């Protein structure tokens, strides 16, 4: 009886079969039999195998019809084998030099074992460095022979069949063969691990697996991916029959469902009509086979586990199509394109800075908005000698007030003023290609108080990190900042974490919020008329934030139903995140869509109360001292997926609702504006409205554009002395 039987299925790889067979026959250890498995005697692969058999008696070809697939070919080879241990080698793979000698030495040292796992290399088909994915897993295993209880992570489902040697008597005793279908490795490896009683590992590369240009079979689209669930059901059922320990069953469950979630997260693998059915069946299997005491993994994968357990296909689909809007916005930031533009910009950089030129931009060029617009307007009064140019995207020129000089992003003039301006003021970041010139002053105004994780703090949250792009490039943009604005000490501390740099913090408040203390009742009435708010109605602003795992705006509320339940005097101002501003309206009846309105400050002034989830608008709106209600229907998912800096549920600006029913009750019974709501809002304002007092823009202009020393600037007015703009409805004024 030979020491080893090497079984080599050859379907579709006749051109490389000789290389595989040569790699076996060239082994220094010669006690083996080589069993090529070909489709039929008259095929090209059969001719190759027959030629080797004629030259070496250890080569014993057998045949398996193509209809039997890889599983049938391996099982045919298994039944023909006579060796003590079986190895499986794909027809286009190679057995590493010295591999059989190393395996024999390992088995001699450990004695008979049921399964001997070993390392393998995945070799790129064209170029690139080989990888050894099994090495980290095997490195954690005990040194000698061991019981599977001592290494529960070796479930057999993470390693292909050609990454182990199997004792033939063990396979025969338990009648283990390869299950039909595409996931035959998974089924065979898992069953072998379930039945094995003595295992060992060899920390040496035995097989060199060639990655095919067309990709692996399991990555291709098709209905065959449903077979994965068959294997999961079979393995978890066998595990239950064998009364596996909680540790082993938990490891098997986690590894199997990692594969399930990976498939579900790649919609291209599943035909459209089967995706929902796949997910629902997977959810049933998850709930029925989840071991007692199983703890979900952390991070994004843990969120996916939770959604699968709940059968929440719609939410999972949204997570699967993780929103690319943020990264798309970054991609839209212009760079000097083309040789002419690059040369032009370079020439402009050689010209002197213009000490009287300031360039402004907001939201990657969306228009005249936010703190840059507020600073621009104040500079026109206090520093008229400073010539200002506002940058906008093509097609957004109409958003600029009359008389505001502007340049279109990407144009020659835009690159000219960016090269020569002494002052650059933005609430996001200027283009990657903008050079920070010596003597120029960059002001980052930010555009909100951070509740969700920002900057480099996003790196541990996979969904948002993927959309953020290179953190190295992000920090390169941060290095251009000279000043960074803050509206409270919380923001100051979080900006230091999220955007580490050499800039100076200006705790002056957000200039865009100045209007909350300078607007009059007439201003509020005018804005409401412009937005179409009926006279005498209570306007509730609904402003949900962006979800990094969604691909478009989906209201979390039935707003028509909310209006009906909240009372006949209620209308809703719907303001989706600016990522979803397409210049179109979604509202009807008592729903007024204000997403496209350029000024979020105007919208806040028009609203008598605010409903939001985790949007930073709550921090700005708190300046108005009007009721705020937090609708937190997916707080747990949001915190795990995006990450937050503090527990909003423990310190909200008003009542918290978890369901639509709770939300409507809060408005129907008036508790949204009751004493308890005011107490929560007062504590929230004390913490987060520290520096917003109506004079933030003035402080920035005096300090940055006029060069006044900090001690000469207007001090921040105490919160108790500030009088916010009046609400239209006296019923909700605190």
């Amino acid at each position: 009886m030979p020491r080893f039987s090497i079984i080599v299925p050859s379907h579709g790889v006749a051109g490389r079969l000789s290389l595989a067979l040569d790699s076996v026959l060239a082994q220094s250890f010669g006690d083996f039999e080589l069993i090529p498995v070909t489709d039929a005697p008259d095929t090209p692969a059969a001719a190759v195998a027959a030629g080797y058999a004629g030259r070496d008696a250890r080569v014993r070809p057998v045949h398996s019809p193509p209809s039997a697939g890889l599983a049938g070919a391996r099982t045919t080879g298994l039944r023909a084998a006579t060796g003590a241990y079986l190895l499986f080698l794909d027809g286009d793979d190679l057995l590493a030099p010295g591999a059989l000698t190393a395996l024999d030495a390992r088995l001699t040292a450990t004695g008979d074992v049921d399964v001997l796992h070993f390392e393998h290399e995945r070799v790129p088909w064209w170029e690139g460095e080989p990888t050894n994915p099994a090495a980290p897993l095997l490195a954690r295993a005990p040194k000698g022979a061991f019981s599977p209880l001592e290494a529960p992570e070796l479930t057999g489902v993470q390693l292909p069949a050609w990454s182990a040697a199997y004792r033939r008597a063990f396979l025969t005793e338990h009648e283990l063969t390869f299950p039909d279908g595409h996931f035959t490795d998974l089924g065979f490896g898992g069953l072998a691990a379930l039945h094995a009683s003595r295992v060992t590992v060899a920390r040496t590369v035995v097989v060199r697996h060639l990655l095919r240009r067309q990709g692996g079979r399991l990555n291709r689209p098709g209905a065959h991916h449903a077979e994965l669930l068959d294997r999961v059901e079979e393995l978890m059922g066998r595990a239950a029959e064998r009364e596996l320990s909680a540790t082993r069953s938990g490891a098997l469950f986690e590894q199997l469902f990692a594969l399930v979630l990976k498939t579900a997260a790649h919609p291209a693998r599943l035909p459209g009509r089967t995706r929902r059915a796949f997910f629902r069946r997977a959810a049933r299997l998850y709930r029925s086979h989840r071991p007692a005491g199983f703890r979900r993994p952390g991070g994004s994968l843990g969120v996916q586990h939770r959604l699968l357990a709940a059968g929440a296909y719609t939410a999972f689909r949204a997570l699967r199509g993780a929103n690319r809007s943020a990264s798309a916005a970054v991609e839209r930031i212009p760079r000097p394109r083309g040789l002419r533009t690059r040369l032009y910009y370079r020439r402009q950089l050689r010209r002197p800075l213009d000490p009287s030129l300031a360039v402004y931009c907001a939201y990657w060029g969306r228009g005249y908005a936010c703190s840059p617009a507020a600073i621009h307007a104040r500079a026109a009064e206090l520093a008229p000698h400073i010539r200002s140019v506002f940058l906008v995207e093509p097609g957004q020129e109409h958003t600029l007030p009359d008389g505001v000089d502007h340049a279109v992003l990407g144009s020659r003039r835009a690159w000219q003023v960016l090269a020569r301006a002494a002052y650059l003021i933005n609430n996001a970041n200027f283009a990657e290609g903008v050079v920070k010139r010596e003597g120029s002053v960059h002001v980052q105004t930010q555009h909100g108080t951070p509740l969700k994780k920002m900057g480099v703090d996003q790196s541990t949250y996979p969904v948002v990190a993927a959309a953020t792009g290179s953190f190295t490039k992000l920090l390169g943009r941060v290095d251009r900042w000279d000043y960074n604005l803050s509206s409270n000490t919380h923001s100051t501390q979080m900006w230091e974490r999220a955007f580490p740099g050499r800039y100076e913090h200006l705790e002056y408040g957000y200039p865009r919020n100045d209007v909350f203390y300078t607007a009059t009742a007439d201003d509020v009435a005018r804005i409401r008329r412009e937005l179409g708010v009926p006279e005498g109605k209570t306007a509730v602003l609904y402003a949900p934030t962006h979800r990094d795992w969604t691909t478009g705006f989906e209201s979390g509320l039935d707003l028509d139903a909310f209006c009906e339940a909240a009372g006949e005097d209620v209308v809703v101002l719907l303001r989706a995140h600016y990522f979803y501003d397409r210049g179109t309206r979604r509202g009807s009846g008592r729903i007024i869509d204000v997403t496209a309105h350029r000024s979020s400050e105007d919208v806040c002034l028009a609203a008598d109360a605010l409903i939001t989830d985790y949007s930073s608008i709550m921090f700005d709106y708190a300046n108005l001292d009007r009721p705020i209600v937090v609708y937190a229907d997916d707080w747990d998912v949001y915190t795990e997926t995006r990450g937050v800096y503090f527990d909003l549920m423990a310190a909200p600006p008003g009542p918290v609702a978890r369901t639509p029913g709770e939300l409507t009750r809060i408005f129907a019974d008036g508790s949204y504006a009751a004493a308890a709501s005011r107490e929560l809002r007062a504590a929230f304002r004390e913490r987060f409205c520290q520096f917003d007092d109506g004079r933030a823009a003035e402080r920035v202009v005096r300090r940055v554009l006029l060069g006044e020393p900090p001690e000469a600037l207007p001090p921040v007015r105490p919160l108790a002395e500030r009088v916010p703009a009046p609400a239209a409805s006296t019923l909700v004024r605190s």
Side-chain angles (χ1 to χ4, degrees), residues 114-133:
D114 296 327
V115 182
L116 164 57
H117 296 287
F118 48 73
E119 297 175 5
H120 63 271
E121 282 186 345
R122 292 181 178 269
V123 183
W125 77 274
W126 181 246
E127 61 182 3
E129 294 296 323
T131 61
N132 187 342

Side-chain angles (χ1 to χ4, degrees), residues 348-683:
Q348 295 300 317
L349 288 172
R350 289 198 290 266
R351 298 180 63 188
L353 284 174
D354 184 342
S356 299
L357 177 60
V359 171
Y360 298 81
C361 190
Y363 297 116
W364 303 279
R366 288 184 66 245
Y368 192 79
C370 200
S371 291
I375 297 170
H376 176 278
R378 201 73 175 109
E381 301 173 13
L382 299 178
H385 64 285
I386 300 293
R387 183 167 57 91
S388 301
V389 178
F390 223 97
L391 301 182
V392 293
E393 289 180 323
Q396 298 300 316
E397 298 90 335
H398 66 282
T399 67
L400 297 164
D402 293 340
V404 173
D405 190 11
H406 68 276
V408 175
L409 283 166
S411 68
R412 287 168 66 90
R413 182 164 188 250
W415 287 109
Q416 178 193 47
V417 296
L418 283 168
R420 300 203 57 208
Y423 308 99
L424 293 96
I425 300 168
N426 204 332
N427 73 347
N429 263 307
F430 285 102
E432 191 76 37
V434 171
V435 174
K436 174 68 167 74
R437 297 185 63 180
E438 184 177 356
S440 66
V441 177
H442 287 237
V443 179
Q444 170 59 256
T445 73
Q446 301 294 347
H447 51 272
T449 290
L451 167 62
K452 60 190 175 186
K453 292 293 180 70
M454 301 292 290
V456 296
D457 287 339
Q458 299 171 347
S459 62
T460 56
Y461 295 86
V463 173
V464 67
T468 300
S470 168
F471 289 99
T472 300
K473 291 183 178 180
L474 170 64
L475 293 176
R477 296 191 290 270
V478 170
D479 286 341
R480 298 188 304 212
W481 302 354
D482 294 290
Y483 298 110
N484 183 50
L485 297 192
S486 174
S487 59
N488 46 65
T489 54
H490 162 79
S491 293
T492 303
Q493 295 164 3
M494 297 309 105
W495 296 145
E496 287 181 354
R497 283 182 42 179
F499 303 113
R502 296 182 295 272
Y503 54 84
E504 178 182 348
H505 287 285
L506 299 183
E507 293 183 322
Y508 293 170
Y510 285 147
R512 71 177 183 184
N513 292 342
D514 286 352
V515 70
F516 295 150
Y517 296 99
T518 60
T520 65
D522 289 341
D523 293 325
V524 173
R526 172 184 53 79
I527 294 169
R528 286 168 67 94
R529 287 194 301 270
E530 292 173 354
L531 295 178
V533 179
E535 188 173 351
K537 298 293 185 180
T538 298
V540 177
L541 172 59
Y542 175 51
T545 192
H546 163 62
R547 299 296 195 276
D548 295 277
W549 60 88
T550 61
T551 56
F553 175 71
E554 295 180 8
S555 175
L557 287 173
D558 183 336
L559 296 178
D560 290 310
F562 169 78
C563 287
E564 289 299 322
E568 63 181 12
D569 291 334
V570 171
V571 296
V572 170
L573 302 177
L574 168 62
R575 188 168 181 82
H577 193 277
Y578 59 82
F579 283 168
Y580 309 122
D581 175 14
R582 299 294 181 266
T584 57
R585 288 180 173 270
R586 303 175 182 83
S588 62
R590 292 163 65 183
I591 315 301
I592 304 172
D593 187 356
V594 295
T595 301
H597 191 79
R598 289 295 161 178
S599 172
S600 63
E601 297 77 49
D602 281 0
V603 173
C604 288
L605 286 168
D608 299 303
L610 168 68
I611 299 173
T612 188
D613 39 27
Y614 327 118
S615 170
S616 64
I617 199 172
M618 73 179 77
F619 301 98
D620 304 314
Y621 192 81
N623 283 285
L624 290 169
D625 198 15
R626 302 177 191 176
I628 302 174
V629 177
V630 175
Y631 180 55
D633 61 328
D634 62 350
W635 173 249
D636 293 337
V637 174
Y638 189 85
T639 55
E640 286 197 40
T641 306
R642 177 62 200 242
V644 294
Y645 285 116
F646 68 93
D647 186 358
L648 180 65
M649 301 301 101
V656 175
R658 295 279 191 168
T659 67
E662 291 179 3
L663 183 64
T664 54
R665 282 195 296 273
I666 288 171
F667 277 85
D669 64 15
S671 58
Y672 77 106
S677 176
R678 292 197 296 271
E679 290 176 4
L680 290 171
R681 188 166 70 253

Side-chain angles (χ1 to χ4, degrees), residues 47-176:
V48 172
Y52 277 87
R55 297 189 296 271
D56 194 317
R58 295 174 298 179
V59 181
R60 300 177 48 239
V62 295
H63 306 295
S64 175
S67 59
L70 178 63
R74 285 174 171 171
T75 298
T76 297
L78 186 157
R79 289 171 177 160
T82 61
Y85 283 87
L86 308 185
L87 281 77
F88 299 93
L89 191 69
D90 281 357
D92 53 354
D93 292 345
L94 303 177
L95 204 60
L100 296 183
T101 299
L103 294 182
D104 177 70
R106 184 61 175 162
L107 290 170
T108 300
T110 61
D112 285 344
V113 294
D114 296 327
V115 182
L116 164 57
H117 296 287
F118 48 73
E119 297 175 5
H120 63 271
E121 282 186 345
R122 292 181 178 269
V123 183
W125 77 274
W126 181 246
E127 61 182 3
E129 294 296 323
T131 61
N132 187 342
L137 181 65
L138 301 185
R140 299 194 296 269
K143 292 184 178 181
F146 53 90
S147 163
L149 285 171
E150 298 176 69
E153 68 276 8
L154 290 178
T155 64
V157 305
Q158 291 184 315
L159 297 172
W162 37 261
S163 195
Y166 302 88
R167 187 166 62 88
R168 184 168 61 89
F170 158 72
L171 298 180
T172 303
E173 175 187 355
H174 295 285
E175 301 180 341
L176 298 180

Side-chain angles (χ1 to χ4, degrees), residues 148-473:
L149 285 171
E150 298 176 69
E153 68 276 8
L154 290 178
T155 64
V157 305
Q158 291 184 315
L159 297 172
W162 37 261
S163 195
Y166 302 88
R167 187 166 62 88
R168 184 168 61 89
F170 158 72
L171 298 180
T172 303
E173 175 187 355
H174 295 285
E175 301 180 341
L176 298 180
T177 58
F178 286 86
D180 293 333
H182 290 72
F183 294 86
T184 185
D185 279 13
L186 173 68
F188 181 80
L191 289 172
L194 286 174
H195 289 86
S197 58
R198 199 162 184 266
V199 182
T200 193
V201 302
R203 297 187 181 93
T204 185
V205 172
V206 172
V207 173
R208 290 178 176 158
H209 174 68
L210 178 70
L211 296 173
R212 301 177 185 179
R213 183 188 179 204
Q214 63 272 32
R217 296 173 301 114
L218 300 186
N219 293 329
R220 298 172 192 168
H224 63 271
H225 287 283
E227 297 170 11
L228 170 60
L229 302 181
D230 296 336
R231 302 285 77 78
V232 170
E233 187 170 20
E234 178 185 19
L235 290 174
M236 292 308 302
R238 289 287 190 96
E241 292 172 4
R242 298 184 65 80
E243 298 181 349
L244 237 59
S245 68
T247 303
R248 290 190 67 193
S249 61
L252 177 63
F253 179 88
E254 182 172 356
Q255 292 179 18
L256 286 172
F257 278 93
L259 297 174
V260 170
L261 289 168
K262 184 177 181 180
T263 297
H266 288 77
R269 293 184 181 180
L270 296 164
R273 63 184 181 279
T274 66
R275 293 170 193 165
R276 187 182 296 271
F278 179 94
F279 187 88
R280 287 179 173 173
R281 184 186 172 197
R284 291 193 297 271
L285 291 174
Y286 188 100
R287 291 190 292 267
S288 61
H289 291 290
R290 179 181 177 183
F294 174 75
R295 297 184 63 181
R296 298 187 185 97
S300 177
L301 185 57
V303 176
Q304 295 179 51
H305 271 259
R306 181 175 288 107
L307 295 176
L308 183 61
Y313 176 73
T314 300
F316 185 87
R317 182 178 59 185
L319 178 60
R320 179 186 65 197
N323 194 287
R324 297 294 189 267
S325 297
S327 57
V330 172
E331 290 298 321
R332 289 196 300 270
I333 297 175
R335 300 166 179 265
R337 297 184 184 276
L339 180 60
R340 281 184 167 183
T341 306
R342 289 196 297 270
L343 292 176
Y344 177 78
Y345 182 54
R346 188 176 300 174
R347 287 198 302 270
Q348 295 300 317
L349 288 172
R350 289 198 290 266
R351 298 180 63 188
L353 284 174
D354 184 342
S356 299
L357 177 60
V359 171
Y360 298 81
C361 190
Y363 297 116
W364 303 279
R366 288 184 66 245
Y368 192 79
C370 200
S371 291
I375 297 170
H376 176 278
R378 201 73 175 109
E381 301 173 13
L382 299 178
H385 64 285
I386 300 293
R387 183 167 57 91
S388 301
V389 178
F390 223 97
L391 301 182
V392 293
E393 289 180 323
Q396 298 300 316
E397 298 90 335
H398 66 282
T399 67
L400 297 164
D402 293 340
V404 173
D405 190 11
H406 68 276
V408 175
L409 283 166
S411 68
R412 287 168 66 90
R413 182 164 188 250
W415 287 109
Q416 178 193 47
V417 296
L418 283 168
R420 300 203 57 208
Y423 308 99
L424 293 96
I425 300 168
N426 204 332
N427 73 347
N429 263 307
F430 285 102
E432 191 76 37
V434 171
V435 174
K436 174 68 167 74
R437 297 185 63 180
E438 184 177 356
S440 66
V441 177
H442 287 237
V443 179
Q444 170 59 256
T445 73
Q446 301 294 347
H447 51 272
T449 290
L451 167 62
K452 60 190 175 186
K453 292 293 180 70
M454 301 292 290
V456 296
D457 287 339
Q458 299 171 347
S459 62
T460 56
Y461 295 86
V463 173
V464 67
T468 300
S470 168
F471 289 99
T472 300
K473 291 183 178 180

